[in-house]
Amino acid sequence: METVSERVHRYVTRLSALVQDMETVSERVHRYVTRLSLLLFRTWRQSARRIPVTRATRRGDGNLSPWLRSKKAIRSEWGERAAGERAGPERLRVMDTEDRAGNKNLGHAGKKKQQAGKKQNQAGQLTRHKVDLFYKLRHVMSEVIDLRRQLLSGHLTQDQVREVKRHLTHLSSRHSVQQSTNQAESLRQRHKEPRAPVPHHLLLQLKSFTHSNIGEDVDLFFSLYDMREARQISERFMVRLNKNGGPRNPEKPERLSALFTDLSSKDVKRDLHLVVHVVRIGRMLLNDSRKGPPYVHYRRPYGCAVLSLGEVLPALCEHRDEKDFVMKVYMCNNENEWYQIHENIIRKTSTKYSTPSSNYGLIVSLQLLRGDMEQIRRENQLLFNRGAAATRKLGFPDVIMPGDVRNDLYVTLERGDFERGGKSVQKNIEVTMHVLYADGENLRDCVSLGTGEPPRTQYHSFVLYHSNSPRWGELIKLPIPIDRFRGSHLRFEFRHCSTKDKGEKKLFGFSFTPLMRDDGTTLSDDIHELYVYKCDESSTFNNHALYLGLPCCKDDLSGCPNIPSSLIFQRSPKETFCISTQLSSTKLTQNVDLLALLKWKAYPDRILDVLGRLRHVSGEEIVKDILDTLFVILDDNTEKYGLLVFQSLVRTHHHPTGTSPVMADNRE
């Protein structure tokens, strides 16, 4: 008869064999899952590129080709496919259940072996998780391929095209792959009630601008301001009015409306304010005709109006109709605080501003629209026929649609510190900005003060009266072509505006900064403190190489170790000039690692290192042309780069900003 000791020994022997078998299965499944995942992405990419664009042929039975079948049939197929795919992981779950049942029969002598079995069981659970993830990814890829086939077939109606595009946008903008593998019933419900982020657009129309004591032309600048983050979140919309309050160009009255686009649900819930800055064009002092000749005009700050959108947007969401609002204009008591007059009005710091007149203000109408821009244009054709200016967000929206190529650099004049220069009073400083190419040519139409008005070749700042430390806080948009970005630079010229009889503008200094660094990256989104170099009206800028070899800032000083003292331009050590920049580009990058990835063929020895660090790239930088690059690297050497490319693809699908990277893959 078998003894207890012999029975325990037999059980331990069988358990050891079972553990070895489980380890073999786990390793084999892990290896197969990795290979299948990489093969899936390669197959998906190849099939997506080889889909015919020609008109689809019909079958002999009169039905359309498979990719043109009805949405009902597609949804049914998705449900059957999902059910079949779940059968694979179910087999592993059954095996795991049998293993746990067998472990219950172990005696006290097999506890150590049981602990080892638990560890192997955890490894098996990890493997099953990877299997589940593989099936979910395959399901999403199949879904995208089917929808893309329908779009390329050319046989869909406009309503069907909109439905397919909306679903594609939803697939690419989800925050987790888990949400893409719901059951067939959930898929049908999602088609009826899509959960894709719906953008909001704020329509603004200027109804009237009343004033009684300016008597000069004015420029109005509308923008959206987030008080909680203390920053502007939109471009500026510009309206030019004559001294009577009407459009300066009476032949184009349609330039009095703007559409602030791509506001997310999060943006709508922010502490947003509509801010209007009023800048007059005329004499240095409004009520003193002796200060300068009448033919010399300066841009001079005058007033500001603010409307809290947090109190307005809920009502606009309910009624959907446009509603009129009155905005009172206030004047700044001290021009040196003009840069923050809107914040003082929001905080109701009444000692910082005053009311010029009881009947001085603006009447604007606001309306909140929802949907993608294609839908908005279709439903509001009259609005766009009148020329409403599309005013974009600073930065990217939640979803970047295909073909949306963007390359906008936003420059904000922050502040300057200048010497008095032997004068008894402080200077009236005007800044002129030029955008110059590598050959010294001025880039035409690359400076925009605001939407609604055509771009210009150069920019003139407004002038603060008697201030050697001016603070402007004025945003300028530079829509520079991508092929002209490399080699271009900005030059800022500083002039003192005299208020004597001749009204001369005397040049006394300049600053500059390249738009690209030597390593190919662009200016970082930050505040840049630039050096100021002395010059005068006799100085010539025809040969820009005379100053481009000089350091533009402190960080650039290391690149210019030996600067001869006999140069034409000498730095003024006590003077500084500060700007801040923000780049919104689907093509250019500020990240060295991402640049090395985009140019991986030039740096083949750095591919593994760059792929490993891609997970640390910020979400804003992810919206570049990186998907094609990752797939090309995958085709080059799957065995060597496959796992890192797979992890990078998952990273780009699930980066924290919520911007759709698939839609951001804009190909030229």
Side-chain angles (χ1 to χ4, degrees), residues 436-441 489 491 541-549:
L436 300 107
Y437 193 47
D439 57 2
E441 173 194 1
H489 69 279
R491 187 175 72 225
F541 294 112
N542 293 335
N543 187 0
H544 60 281
L546 292 177
Y547 63 83
L548 286 182

Side-chain angles (χ1 to χ4, degrees), residues 396-549:
F396 293 101
D398 285 350
V399 176
I400 300 179
M401 299 305 294
D404 187 3
V405 178
R406 187 175 180 184
N407 193 64
D408 298 324
L409 177 66
Y410 298 94
V411 178
T412 302
L413 263 68
E414 295 290 349
R415 64 185 181 273
D417 289 297
F418 303 96
E419 293 182 314
R420 181 170 296 187
K423 295 185 178 295
S424 58
V425 295
Q426 299 190 49
K427 297 177 181 177
N428 311 315
I429 298 174
E430 179 187 72
V431 181
T432 304
M433 182 182 69
H434 301 267
V435 184
L436 300 107
Y437 193 47
D439 57 2
E441 173 194 1
N442 268 286
L443 294 182
R444 300 184 61 84
D445 302 331
C446 285
V447 177
S448 174
L449 291 184
T451 62
E453 291 294 328
R456 54 190 69 182
T457 303
Q458 60 185 16
Y459 156 81
H460 296 277
S461 71
F462 56 79
V463 181
L464 297 176
Y465 186 63
H466 285 177
S467 176
N468 284 342
S469 300
R471 301 193 67 169
W472 297 277
E474 188 168 29
L475 178 75
I476 311 105
K477 175 182 175 181
L478 305 180
I480 302 173
I482 297 176
D483 58 343
R484 290 297 190 102
F485 213 89
R486 177 179 289 276
S488 296
H489 69 279
L490 305 179
R491 187 175 72 225
F492 303 90
E493 300 171 2
F494 311 116
R495 289 177 171 84
H496 167 60
C497 300
S498 174
T499 57
K500 295 181 180 180
D501 294 338
K502 294 183 180 180
E504 297 176 342
K505 297 182 179 181
K506 298 180 179 180
L507 178 68
F508 67 87
F510 75 97
S511 297
F512 72 95
T513 179
L515 297 182
M516 268 193 175
R517 299 187 179 93
D518 294 336
D519 58 10
T521 60
T522 62
L523 280 176
S524 59
D525 292 350
D526 203 351
I527 295 180
H528 308 277
E529 183 175 305
L530 306 180
Y531 288 161
V532 176
Y533 289 90
K534 297 179 180 180
C535 63
D536 53 36
E537 292 295 342
S538 62
S539 302
T540 176
F541 294 112
N542 293 335
N543 187 0
H544 60 281
L546 292 177
Y547 63 83
L548 286 182

Side-chain angles (χ1 to χ4, degrees), residues 301-304 329-342 344-345 351-356:
Y302 186 76
C304 179
V329 177
Y330 299 94
M331 294 181 63
C332 189
N333 293 337
N334 184 358
E335 282 191 9
N336 291 328
E337 297 181 351
W338 166 261
Y339 70 98
Q340 58 182 4
I341 182 175
H342 51 284
N344 291 331
I345 296 174
T351 58
K352 303 288 186 179
Y353 57 87
S354 58
T355 306

Side-chain angles (χ1 to χ4, degrees), residues 91-263:
R91 298 191 189 98
L92 292 177
R93 296 190 186 97
V94 171
M95 185 176 68
D96 181 52
T97 303
E98 294 175 353
D99 293 341
R100 288 195 299 268
N103 291 339
K104 293 182 180 179
N105 298 325
L106 294 176
H108 177 73
K111 283 187 177 181
K112 292 185 178 180
K113 296 295 183 180
Q114 186 179 19
Q115 293 177 356
K118 287 182 179 180
K119 292 182 180 179
Q120 294 297 330
N121 189 26
Q122 292 175 356
Q125 291 177 357
L126 178 61
T127 301
R128 288 190 293 275
H129 173 71
K130 293 181 179 180
V131 173
D132 289 341
L133 178 61
F134 167 74
Y135 284 117
K136 293 170 185 177
L137 287 173
R138 190 176 73 175
H139 178 72
V140 173
M141 294 302 180
S142 300
E143 196 172 350
V144 171
I145 291 173
D146 285 338
L147 292 174
R148 188 174 186 273
R149 283 173 176 168
Q150 295 182 62
L151 284 176
L152 295 179
S153 66
H155 288 275
L156 300 182
T157 64
Q158 291 185 355
D159 292 338
Q160 290 173 333
V161 169
R162 285 194 298 273
E163 175 71 18
V164 171
K165 284 185 177 180
R166 182 170 57 185
H167 186 53
L168 275 171
T169 303
H170 174 59
L171 283 175
S172 62
S173 62
R174 282 176 297 192
H175 295 288
S176 173
V177 180
Q178 178 69 31
Q179 298 178 358
S180 66
T181 55
N182 293 332
Q183 298 180 355
E185 182 176 352
S186 299
L187 288 171
R188 298 189 190 98
Q189 183 178 3
R190 186 178 67 233
H191 276 281
K192 296 179 181 179
E193 298 178 2
R195 291 172 292 180
V198 179
H200 298 73
H201 315 277
L202 183 64
L203 174 63
L204 177 145
Q205 291 183 332
L206 177 62
K207 294 294 186 67
S208 69
F209 174 71
T210 59
H211 60 86
S212 59
N213 60 347
I214 296 183
E216 295 179 342
D217 295 349
V218 296
D219 291 340
L220 307 180
F221 296 94
F222 297 80
S223 61
L224 300 181
Y225 187 82
D226 186 349
M227 186 59 185
R228 186 172 302 172
E229 297 185 6
R231 68 180 184 92
Q232 184 177 324
I233 70 165
S234 75
E235 298 176 346
R236 300 195 304 174
F237 167 55
M238 180 180 180
V239 176
R240 308 188 73 187
L241 301 177
N242 57 34
K243 60 182 180 180
N244 298 319
R248 198 174 306 180
N249 188 348
E251 297 179 358
K252 297 184 178 180
E254 69 275 5
R255 289 183 178 174
L256 301 180
S257 59
L259 186 67
F260 292 92
T261 63
D262 297 321
L263 300 176

